[in-house]
Amino acid sequence: MTELKIELEHILSNRLLFPVFQPIVSINQEKIIGYEALIRGPEHSPLHSPIHLFDTAEHLNVQAELECLSRAITIKRFAEFAIAGKLFINVSPSVLLEPEFKDGEMLKFITAVGLDPDAIIIELTEHKPTDDYQALREALIHYRAMGFEIALDDLGAGYSGLRLWSELRPEYVKIDKHFVQGLHEDKVKFNFVRSIQNMAEAMNCRVIAEGIETI
C-alpha cells in the first residue's frame, strides 16, 4: 500500500487524471443525448483502472479529493471539446453531503468554463449503504435549485437502490448491465426491466440501460 500511496499522491499533485466520455443514446430520437464521464489514471500506472484508483483513495481517506479533481478535469475537458448534450458526472453520496461540495464551488467552476448547470447531471454512485435519506433529499433540493439534474446509477446492483429511487426521485435512473445483457433470452430480466419502465413513467423519470453492446 505504501507504493500505491506514493503513486496516488503523485497522480493527485500532478493532476494526472484522464476523462473518457461514454455516449448515452436515445433510441427513440436516434441520437446521442449525453455522455457519462469516466475517469482513468495514467496509462501505465497501477492505478490506471478506476476501480483500483478509487479503492485506493477510499483506503487512504482521500476519496473526496480524488472526486473533486476528477470533476474539475472532466468538466474542463468537456467544455474544451464543446460537446453537445448532457454530461453525467459520478458523485458518491458521502461526498455530495460534504460542506465543501455544497458551497457552490462546482457551480462557479462550471460557469467559469462556459457551461450551464442544466447541462450537468449529478449521477449518484452507491458503493456503501446509505441511510441518511433526509440529508440526501435536502442536498438534492439545494443542487436542483442551482439547475442540476440527478441520476441514480446501477439500479439493481447497489445496497438500497429502490429505496433511494423512491426517496430521491431522480430525473434519470440507470439499470445495471446485469439486467440488460441477455435481456431477450431471460424472462426474469425482461420483466424486471419492464417493471422499472412502468415505475419510471409513474415518476416522470427517464430510464437508461447500461451495457448494450449488440443489436
Side-chain angles (χ1 to χ4, degrees):
M1 182 55 72
T2 300
E3 293 182 1
L4 291 179
K5 181 177 184 294
I6 294 172
E7 176 67 9
L8 182 57
E9 289 174 347
H10 173 68
I11 290 172
L12 293 175
S13 60
N14 292 281
R15 303 173 66 87
L16 300 177
L17 297 172
F18 304 92
V20 295
F21 301 100
Q22 179 170 286
I24 298 172
V25 178
S26 167
I27 295 177
N28 292 332
Q29 299 177 48
E30 297 185 346
K31 69 176 185 179
I32 295 173
I33 62 169
Y35 297 83
E36 178 180 5
L38 306 170
I39 207 72
R40 301 287 185 269
E43 184 175 356
H44 299 294
S45 167
L47 299 180
H48 172 68
S49 160
I51 294 176
H52 294 151
L53 181 65
F54 282 91
D55 282 352
T56 302
E58 183 178 359
H59 183 80
L60 297 173
N61 200 31
V62 291
Q63 182 180 358
E65 181 181 352
L66 175 60
E67 283 198 26
C68 181
L69 180 59
S70 298
R71 283 194 303 274
I73 290 174
T74 296
I75 291 169
K76 185 173 184 293
R77 183 62 59 85
F78 190 79
E80 289 172 347
F81 286 160
I83 303 174
K86 305 281 189 178
L87 174 62
F88 289 68
I89 298 180
N90 293 316
V91 180
S92 60
S94 59
V95 171
L96 187 79
L97 296 175
E98 291 194 356
E100 292 80 4
F101 189 84
K102 295 177 65 176
D103 65 3
E105 288 302 314
M106 188 169 79
L107 180 60
K108 294 176 185 176
F109 184 78
I110 288 169
T111 304
V113 298
L115 294 177
D116 294 323
D118 62 3
I120 306 297
I121 312 297
I122 295 175
E123 183 171 327
L124 291 180
T125 59
E126 188 193 18
H127 301 295
K128 287 185 175 181
T130 302
D131 56 11
D132 196 345
Y133 298 106
Q134 181 175 348
L136 279 174
R137 284 197 303 268
E138 292 173 355
L140 295 189
I141 290 173
H142 175 73
Y143 297 119
R144 284 182 170 119
M146 293 182 182
F148 299 112
E149 290 184 313
I150 308 300
L152 183 61
D153 191 25
D154 292 339
L155 185 71
Y159 294 91
S160 53
L162 289 176
R163 173 75 186 272
L164 269 180
W165 189 13
S166 66
E167 292 278 0
L168 305 183
R169 306 295 175 91
E171 283 76 22
Y172 300 84
V173 63
K174 301 177 78 173
I175 304 176
D176 183 70
K177 64 182 179 181
H178 167 77
F179 296 98
V180 176
Q181 294 177 337
L183 174 69
H184 58 298
E185 299 173 334
D186 190 319
K187 289 184 178 180
V188 173
K189 290 182 178 181
F190 180 88
N191 284 299
F192 176 87
V193 172
R194 182 163 60 182
S195 297
I196 294 301
Q197 285 182 294
N198 291 336
M199 288 189 290
E201 289 178 7
M203 291 190 283
N204 195 29
C205 176
R206 301 184 71 176
V207 178
I208 298 173
E210 297 182 338
I212 296 180
E213 297 174 355
T214 65
I215 294 177

